[in-house]
Amino acid sequence: MTPANNLRAFRNAMPFWLSLSLIPVALFSAGMGGIWTVLLPLWAWWLFTLLDAIFGLNLENADPGTPDADLFWYRLITMIWFPIQFVVIYGMIFYVTRADHLGVVEKLVLFFGVGVISGTVGIVYSHELMHQKNRLERWLGDFLLATVLYSHFRSEHLLVHHRHVGTPRDAVTARYNEGFHRYFFRVLRDCPKSAWAAERAMLDRRKLPVLHGSNPFWRYGALQLAALVLAVVFGGWEGVFLFVVQAFSAIWQLELTNYVEHYGLTRKHLGEGKYEHVKPHHSWNAAHKATNWLLINLQRHSDHHYKPDRRFPLLQNYDAAEAPQLPYGYPLMALVAMIPPLWRRRMNPRVREWRCKFYPEIEDWTPYKTGTLPLPRL
């Protein structure tokens, strides 16, 4: 266990600041053009996968009772990311739309890479911020999501995913044998609807109309519209197109991560729409050190579902006896997920092993695999 007082020192938080290394890489790629435009995804995914192989696993746990005052340097990187990302996205739009040395393909590849910044880092940081209780951090999370046109993720994640993970009501729990590409389009279709339905249900309980000003979808729409208008201001219609490219890239990376996190893991149906409580074994985990630096411990996913508002440096590691483990970190597993036959070959035996280990009493898994069990009660 890492002593709580050690968390106060910047040197211990410094590995989580490695995300800043993406910024000079982005500037270098834009300035050089050509083959260098592929550097951002290579840097974020392959470099950190290589570092995982070098540094191995981090199995240590910090004291979960550590006060926020001791976590200043950890919190700061998530809180300064929005202005950094804002400058990168719109600065790149301004520069690229006026750069004569960049062709169409180079611009597309480059903004796919910008989506690595806003997706691999930005959305992960917004996820951390949206779970906190103070208004400033929640607003920063909203700003980050607006820059990738995915603001409904906040409502869907907080009101649907955390309540219904591992059940048919949670769209982002990937079903056994469901390939990522089919999953991706299903999520794009279902999640905005489920987020809207969850907010409408909350308003109904308060006896307010769905279009009441407190419905966060008003805020979501305004922020996303402002993000698009700024893209026009900085780069014209070409700027809007490039902005959408980076947003789609970011969303694709988010949903790849969601796919990996819960693939094939379901909560036991207890009858009449009742499901067991969420437990550590309902999330895939990875203890790979470097990727956890980049993703601020997102791979300690079981503990996040146990304590959703627990700040990332305090998330606890679970071993194989308590929760299923991925063979590699998220970046490499996401690449495998893009090739469904390879993914099924690698992961389906692990899901079957998980079933035997945690639910030996369940003989027929068909309704779990097809998602045809009764919906959980709201």
Side-chain angles (χ1 to χ4, degrees):
M1 179 176 290
T2 302
N5 58 356
N6 283 352
L7 295 178
R8 298 176 186 173
F10 174 69
R11 67 178 179 274
N12 293 313
M14 188 168 58
F16 294 102
W17 286 61
L18 285 174
S19 54
L20 289 174
S21 67
L22 293 171
I23 309 308
V25 173
L27 300 179
F28 177 81
S29 298
M32 295 296 292
I35 192 66
W36 294 106
T37 56
V38 304
L39 191 57
L40 266 172
L42 292 178
W43 188 272
W45 303 337
W46 292 111
L47 174 62
F48 279 84
T49 297
L50 175 62
L51 292 176
D52 280 340
I54 295 172
F55 289 105
L57 307 180
N58 176 20
L59 306 177
E60 296 181 353
N61 289 321
D63 179 1
T66 303
D68 279 3
D70 290 348
L71 304 177
F72 173 79
W73 293 111
Y74 297 89
R75 296 178 60 196
L76 185 61
I77 184 59
T78 63
M79 296 181 71
I80 66 173
W81 193 258
F82 169 68
I84 292 171
Q85 182 169 298
F86 180 93
V87 171
V88 169
I89 291 175
Y90 292 105
M92 292 285 277
I93 288 174
F94 182 85
Y95 175 78
V96 166
T97 54
R98 293 161 176 81
D100 295 332
H101 68 290
L102 295 172
V104 173
V105 174
E106 291 167 293
K107 292 178 180 180
L108 291 175
V109 173
L110 184 62
F111 270 81
F112 174 85
V114 174
V116 172
I117 293 176
S118 56
T120 297
V121 180
I123 295 183
V124 172
Y125 285 13
S126 74
H127 169 259
E128 170 77 7
L129 293 164
M130 73 172 69
H131 275 287
Q132 306 312 316
K133 297 177 180 178
N134 72 80
R135 185 169 295 181
L136 173 61
E137 287 178 293
R138 285 177 171 253
W139 268 104
L140 289 171
D142 281 343
F143 290 153
L144 285 168
L145 290 177
T147 62
V148 295
L149 304 178
Y150 220 54
S151 295
H152 71 273
F153 173 65
R154 171 175 164 174
S155 293
E156 189 279 331
H157 185 79
L158 297 178
L159 303 180
V160 182
H161 177 62
H162 271 273
R163 293 180 182 179
H164 302 299
V165 62
T167 76
R169 197 177 287 280
D170 179 38
V172 299
T173 296
R175 299 166 187 164
Y176 179 83
N177 241 18
E178 182 180 29
F180 170 72
H181 305 89
R182 178 177 295 179
Y183 162 89
F184 182 51
F185 289 106
R186 180 173 64 80
V187 165
L188 292 181
R189 179 194 68 208
D190 292 349
C191 283
K193 294 188 294 185
S194 63
W196 174 265
E199 292 292 356
R200 181 178 60 193
M202 289 192 66
L203 289 166
D204 285 345
R205 287 193 287 271
R206 296 165 57 195
K207 301 188 184 305
L208 295 174
V210 69
L211 296 181
H212 189 267
S214 61
N215 188 331
F217 274 80
W218 289 111
R219 181 171 72 252
Y220 300 162
L223 290 175
Q224 291 182 168
L225 179 60
L228 288 168
V229 168
L230 285 171
V232 175
V233 170
F234 283 96
W237 292 112
E238 182 184 4
V240 173
F241 177 72
L242 294 175
F243 180 86
V244 171
V245 169
Q246 71 82 28
F248 183 83
S249 172
I251 293 166
W252 168 73
Q253 290 164 78
L254 164 67
E255 298 305 349
L256 259 175
T257 302
N258 279 334
Y259 178 83
V260 169
E261 286 172 338
H262 299 285
Y263 174 78
L265 306 183
T266 52
R267 285 154 63 187
K268 183 178 180 180
H269 181 231
L270 304 177
E272 299 181 351
K274 295 180 181 179
Y275 289 81
E276 64 177 321
H277 292 297
V278 180
K279 298 177 181 178
H281 62 259
H282 292 126
S283 301
W284 292 101
N285 294 264
H288 300 81
K289 186 177 292 186
T291 299
N292 268 330
W293 291 338
L294 179 65
L295 301 180
I296 55 173
N297 281 341
L298 185 66
Q299 297 179 131
R300 295 186 168 195
H301 208 61
S302 288
D303 199 52
H304 170 66
H305 274 274
Y306 172 61
K307 289 286 186 180
D309 61 348
R310 180 173 284 169
R311 295 192 181 273
F312 76 86
L314 307 183
L315 289 172
Q316 305 291 289
N317 180 69
Y318 287 88
D319 61 27
E322 300 172 287
Q325 306 293 311
L326 293 170
Y328 308 108
Y330 280 10
L332 187 52
M333 294 307 299
L335 176 65
V336 175
M338 290 296 295
I339 310 171
L342 183 59
W343 173 264
R344 286 192 288 268
R345 182 177 178 180
R346 192 72 182 175
M347 291 301 296
N348 282 8
R350 284 179 163 79
V351 175
R352 293 193 294 268
E353 181 182 350
W354 172 87
R355 291 172 178 173
C356 292
K357 180 176 182 178
F358 292 102
Y359 299 102
E361 72 279 10
I362 298 179
E363 297 180 355
D364 183 10
W365 284 93
T366 302
Y368 290 90
K369 292 190 292 186
T370 58
T372 54
L373 287 168
L375 294 177
R377 296 175 179 179
L378 292 173

